Structures are given as C-alpha cells and as structure tokens.
Amino acid sequence: PYGAVTLCRNVTTTKSSVAESVSKMSLDKSKKELLIKIMQNFDSNIIDVNVILDSGTPYIYITLNSGKYLPISYMGDGINKALEILVDILKLPNGILLIDEVENGFHYSLYETLMKVFCETALSVNCQVIMTSHNRDFIEATLRAMEQMERLDNLSYQRLGFYKGQRKAFLFSGDSLYSAFESNMEMR
C-alpha cells in the first residue's frame, strides 16, 4: 500500500514550499545527506544545502567546497526544477508521484543524467514515479538510464491506442520498449 500520492504539475511550486521541505529534511541527518549527495550529481562542488530567512522569506542556499554560499536560484532554472522534483520524491517514501511532461524545462543533453538521478532517488525511498512525456528522446534517455542501473524490470511504458474501436492502454516492459524503438513505433 502506498502512503501518499502527489501530482507535480508543470506549474512551478512556490519557492517557500520547496524551502520548507528542504528545511525539514535538514532535521533528519540521513535525508539531508541524501539530498546533498543527489545535488552533487548536478555540481560535484556542492557540500551543503541550507535554508536562510531574509526578511521572513526563505531562500535555499548551497555551500560549495570553495567555501562560497550561493542562492540555488543562481544555478539556473533546470537545477531548481530538479530540486523540486527530488524534494517531492523524498517527501513520498512508499508513495506515488505523478509528473506531467517531466522533460519540460530541461536541456535534452541532461535527460539521461536527470532520469538516473530521479530513478535512483525514487528507488531508494520506494516512491513510484509516473511520468508523461511526448518526447521520444526523453523516453529513450529514460530507457538508457534504467538499463545502466540494471533496473529495466522497474520500468514500464504505457501507450494509449485503439483496439477493436475501443480506447485501450498498451503496456510495455522495459525490455520490450527496445523493440518499440527499433520498429519506430510512435512514442507519446
């Protein structure tokens, strides 16, 4: 049984809600260490993540191994969106996270790395992540990431279509998804 279900819309969550979640994770040493380890996938110089209040408004700051403190917003929109998704995953142990058009806002060159990080994090807390995507490159990068992790058995792909005049969801396992790519099946 799953403990909770959350929908991560393509509407950016408030910075204060992400900061509040990061602040709460700071109270649990293992969660904070996991969050830092995950963030190091984006920049290996990150050694700490903290929340600082300025006039009552919370801001997320990272500490670099050079000793510099930077607002995470200085690192770009992609890492901020990735942090939002990661925080949602970490908040949902034994839960389900629904993400619509997950690839939006990320550069295509990061798809495989992002999916490896998201999937490793989700597997570490037993969070099932259900994503939609219309991007064939993103789906292929997800497949490669799961293959590198030797976790294709944890991946499935569903495609809506018609069968005998009725709408039907067709399910593909991670292994059979390769065949779909090889046969140039439409991916949505």
Side-chain angles (χ1 to χ4, degrees), residues 26-176:
S26 295
L27 298 174
D28 182 334
K29 186 178 179 184
S30 64
K31 280 188 181 177
K32 184 171 182 177
E33 287 173 356
L34 179 60
L35 182 61
I36 293 167
K37 181 181 173 198
I38 293 166
M39 295 302 293
Q40 288 172 337
N41 284 284
F42 301 103
D43 187 332
S44 60
N45 295 310
I46 296 173
I47 60 169
D48 203 1
V49 179
N50 289 295
V51 176
I52 297 173
L53 284 177
D54 184 13
S55 301
T57 303
Y59 295 94
I60 300 171
Y61 274 74
I62 55 161
T63 306
L64 301 176
N65 58 12
S66 66
K68 286 187 177 181
Y69 298 92
L70 289 175
I72 197 160
S73 58
Y74 285 12
M75 297 189 75
D77 290 337
I79 196 168
N80 282 278
K81 181 178 178 184
L83 178 63
E84 290 176 27
I85 292 171
L86 291 166
V87 164
D88 281 340
I89 292 170
L90 291 171
K91 288 188 327 189
L92 290 167
N94 302 313
I96 300 172
L97 178 63
L98 309 172
I99 308 173
D100 187 31
E101 297 181 1
V102 65
E103 76 280 0
N104 286 349
F106 294 119
H107 192 268
Y108 72 92
S109 65
L110 295 176
Y111 290 166
E112 196 168 320
T113 300
L114 285 167
M115 287 314 303
K116 189 170 185 229
V117 170
F118 293 159
C119 293
E120 284 176 342
T121 305
L123 289 166
S124 75
V125 296
N126 193 38
C127 177
Q128 183 177 359
V129 180
I130 300 170
M131 301 173 282
T132 65
S133 178
H134 295 278
N135 187 315
R136 184 180 177 93
D137 293 332
F138 178 80
I139 296 167
E140 191 171 11
T142 303
L143 183 62
R144 284 192 312 268
M146 293 298 280
E147 181 181 41
Q148 288 173 12
M149 295 168 42
E150 298 180 1
R151 299 302 291 256
L152 277 178
D153 56 326
N154 290 104
L155 176 66
S156 67
Y157 171 79
Q158 292 193 15
R159 183 176 182 281
L160 296 177
F162 285 95
Y163 179 74
K164 295 184 180 181
Q166 298 290 319
R167 184 170 299 278
K168 180 176 166 71
F170 296 92
L171 178 66
F172 299 91
S173 66
D175 288 329
S176 65

